Amino acid sequence: MRRTGRKLLAFDRRLGVRWVAGADEAGRGSLAGPLVTAGVLFDYARLRDHAVRPLGLLNDSKQVAPDEREKLFRAVTRCASRVVVQVIPPWRIDGDGLHRSNLRGLREVLAALTPPAEACLVDGFRLGPAAPEHTAVVDGDEKSAAIAAASIVAKVVRDRAMRRLDALYPHYGFASHVGYITPRHSAVVRERGPSEIHRLSFEARSYAEHAAGLGS
């Protein structure tokens, strides 16, 4: 595996400050389960020499295999000065809207890291004036170590939660697809209807046949 962490760490160091916070989310495109936002704070005065080695394989969570994500999760939690997670349940997403829920979650994790964060980086989104001063970085989880670390934390926390929820809702296959749309997931939802943890505001064909049956 390529040691991508060095490039990502260099991006953050070029900001010229000691404390860098990154924020990212997992589950924005999911049909079921929570949205998870995460913030990670790195102290670049401390992350030197042997202290930074565990982050050598750090990368965007989508580019990392599940077993490697678990290893990186442990590396991030050891190396970060602070890690903050927000879990936004499906009912809140349905009530407030996905985009608004996502922005609020990202704002809140950054606010929890500021101060001491001197630079706050977010993957892709401007979060509005209520957020701490921040920079939106396009494809930030492939450029910044702090954002990539947040993406790893959010993804691992969410995947673990979905695997636990699989025991409560065994018919839907959450352990394999963790709530995202797959042909099997869609077929089960059409047959059985959505569970309590499905997002009813998510307009998807997965719900179409069930809704038609209720109306007949």
Side-chain angles (χ1 to χ4, degrees):
M1 182 179 291
R2 292 183 302 135
R3 298 190 68 82
T4 50
R6 181 178 297 180
K7 179 184 72 173
L8 276 61
L9 290 159
F11 180 95
D12 289 2
R13 291 189 192 279
R14 286 195 293 271
L15 298 172
V17 298
R18 173 177 176 177
W19 299 95
V20 179
D24 202 1
E25 52 72 30
R28 196 169 71 236
S30 178
L31 183 65
L35 174 71
V36 175
T37 59
V40 172
L41 180 68
F42 283 143
D43 175 2
Y44 278 98
R46 186 175 65 85
L47 280 182
R48 298 186 181 280
D49 304 322
H50 69 280
V52 80
R53 287 175 190 163
L55 300 177
L57 298 178
L58 186 61
N59 202 352
D60 166 23
S61 63
K62 297 184 291 297
Q63 307 297 323
V64 181
D67 58 336
E68 293 298 326
R69 279 200 298 264
E70 289 284 346
K71 293 177 184 176
L72 282 169
F73 178 88
R74 293 190 290 272
V76 168
T77 54
R78 287 198 305 269
C79 293
S81 295
R82 191 170 181 194
V83 175
V84 179
V85 173
Q86 285 271 4
V87 179
I88 303 163
W91 62 265
R92 175 65 60 83
I93 296 168
D94 286 340
D96 295 345
L98 177 63
H99 187 60
R100 183 178 297 177
S101 299
N102 188 37
L103 295 185
R104 182 176 59 243
L106 292 168
R107 282 195 298 266
E108 289 177 354
V109 296
L110 282 184
L113 301 176
T114 310
E118 300 166 272
C120 294
L121 307 177
V122 184
D123 185 30
F125 295 104
R126 289 289 302 169
L127 305 181
E133 184 176 348
H134 62 285
T135 300
V137 183
V138 177
D139 296 326
D141 45 12
E142 300 176 8
K143 296 175 181 176
S144 159
I147 296 177
S151 80
I152 292 288
V153 170
K155 177 65 173 166
V156 169
V157 167
R158 188 180 184 281
D159 285 1
R160 288 177 178 179
M162 293 305 296
R163 287 194 290 269
R164 288 193 295 270
L165 286 167
D166 182 71
L168 296 177
Y169 305 95
H171 302 291
Y172 294 93
F174 293 141
S176 60
H177 54 65
V178 295
Y180 288 92
I181 298 177
T182 66
R184 179 170 176 263
H185 186 190
S186 297
V188 174
V189 172
R190 286 195 295 270
E191 177 185 350
R192 305 182 65 93
S195 72
E196 295 174 329
I197 65 166
H198 279 85
R199 302 175 190 176
L200 302 183
S201 57
F202 196 123
E203 295 183 7
R205 285 182 294 176
S206 305
Y207 297 142
E209 291 180 13
H210 177 72
L214 292 176
S216 61

